[in-house]
Amino acid sequence: MSLNYSLTDKIVLITGASSGIGEACAHAFADAGARLILCARRMQRLQELAAELKVPTHLIALDVRDQVAVEHTIASLPAEWLEIDILLNNAGLSRALTKLHEYDIQDIDEMVDTNVKGLLYVTHAVAPGMVARGWGHIINIGSIAGHWTYPNGAVYCATKAAVKSITEGLKMDLNGTPVRVTSVDPGLVETEFSIVRFHGDAERARKVYEGVKPLTGADVADVVLFCATRPAHVNINDVILMPVAQASATQVYRQPLPA
Ligand code: NDP
Ligand code: 8X3
């Protein structure tokens, strides 16, 4: 792949870097020579990740649901980390798979607060610096769930539909500035996502990927990196990617593909 826009020494802030897609993106951006601000609640995971990377990192224990902490964190970045070039809004989760009227209110709040409000808080804190500096790229991890609603998924799908709207609206709001806005929207990716969704039920989580070759975090990171390395005048608005065995949020071919 040709890197049209060099990431060498660029500052990339990744939320949800402690696992899955965020962690894979950290590796991909590090391989491209970027410097990384890695955020998540589990600091030990971030430390283990940073030890594997051969680029400078700045680690932040951050719950994106905490608006005051988000604003404070961005405002008080050390001078050498202040000028964020790329924001990857990746932190997110699903809780349960249940009819809306039977949902646990805590699960609803956690999804909306993390996937929608958290993403808004981080964007609100980071975007003004990009506008002032006349450079930047905001990449949101949406989902096919934002394009196709599925049964028992009303809440999670609504949060990802919100991410789609936020991406589209932000692109309009930033029109006239050089700041780019992208959404990368995957289907099935095998990460800790389903374990979190099913509150630690690993057996149920395993069944989500049974008989399918799902995407990996690295597959998604590959697309994120592609979007981030286009020439400065090119904005990739939205990318939907799925495993070959998946045709929609609900249509998954569950037999191994021939080798
Ligand atoms: P993982 O569970 O593996 O990773 C989720 C990451 O989000 C973790 O690093 C977690 O860190 C972080 N996170 C969760 N809540 C918070 C919070 N309140 N504050 C800060 N960080 C938080 O799942 P994925 O890698 O799969 O998920 C990443 C993104 O991809 C999510 O937005 C998800 O919706 C989206 N996605 C996933 C798909 C899939 O099939 N896996 C498909 C489409 C989209 P920590 O717990 O340490 O805070
Ligand atoms: C995660 C993919 O299909 O479980 O966003 O909603 S799905």
Side-chain angles (χ1 to χ4, degrees):
M1 187 178 74
S2 70
L3 297 184
N4 287 311
Y5 169 67
S6 170
L7 293 170
T8 307
D9 289 334
K10 293 288 182 298
I11 298 180
V12 182
L13 188 154
I14 303 175
T15 66
S18 61
S19 171
I21 295 169
E23 183 181 350
C25 288
H27 280 285
F29 278 113
D31 289 348
R35 294 183 284 150
L36 303 178
I37 302 174
L38 303 174
C39 307
R41 293 165 300 180
R42 289 170 291 179
M43 179 51 99
Q44 197 183 332
R45 289 273 196 109
L46 295 181
Q47 286 165 341
E48 287 163 7
L49 171 61
E52 296 169 9
L53 304 176
K54 293 181 173 46
V55 294
T57 54
H58 181 65
L59 311 184
I60 303 173
L62 180 67
D63 185 333
V64 296
R65 295 172 298 178
D66 183 341
Q67 190 270 330
V68 173
V70 169
E71 288 289 337
H72 176 75
T73 294
I74 301 303
S76 59
L77 281 170
E80 66 273 25
W81 289 101
L82 211 46
E83 301 196 346
I84 297 164
D85 296 288
I86 298 173
L87 164 61
L88 180 62
N89 275 318
N90 163 76
L93 81 177
S94 181
R95 288 294 197 188
L97 198 52
T98 304
K99 293 180 194 303
L100 173 50
H101 58 283
E102 293 170 357
Y103 245 105
D104 191 304
I105 287 295
Q106 260 189 316
D107 286 348
I108 293 177
D109 283 346
E110 194 176 5
M111 284 186 275
V112 173
D113 290 348
T114 308
N115 301 359
V116 184
K117 292 172 73 178
L119 182 144
L120 287 169
Y121 295 156
V122 177
T123 304
H124 184 267
V126 172
M130 292 181 169
V131 172
R133 288 187 293 277
W135 179 250
H137 193 167
I138 296 169
I139 304 175
N140 296 329
I141 301 296
S143 168
I144 61 166
H147 298 264
W148 294 279
T149 306
Y150 50 79
N152 297 317
V155 184
Y156 177 71
C157 293
T159 67
K160 290 301 182 177
V163 173
K164 180 173 179 288
S165 293
I166 292 164
T167 305
E168 289 168 3
L170 188 63
K171 178 84 179 79
M172 294 169 194
D173 295 342
L174 291 170
N175 189 228
T177 81
V179 180
R180 303 194 277 186
V181 185
T182 297
S183 185
V184 174
D185 302 341
L188 281 175
V189 191
E190 191 163 10
T191 61
E192 293 175 17
F193 178 86
S194 293
I195 295 175
V196 171
R197 163 170 264 176
F198 299 125
H199 291 281
D201 184 341
E203 182 51 23
R204 192 166 174 203
R206 191 187 58 76
K207 286 200 162 69
V208 173
Y209 312 104
E210 203 166 59
V212 185
K213 185 171 172 53
L215 297 175
T216 63
D219 294 327
V220 182
D222 197 30
V223 172
V224 169
L225 209 72
F226 178 84
C227 295
T229 51
R230 293 313 85 206
H233 69 287
V234 177
N235 191 93
I236 299 197
N237 293 38
D238 195 2
V239 180
I240 297 175
L241 67 153
M242 297 184 201
V244 171
Q246 183 172 30
S248 74
T250 50
Q251 191 184 358
V252 179
Y253 182 73
R254 289 200 182 271
Q255 283 178 34
L257 291 173

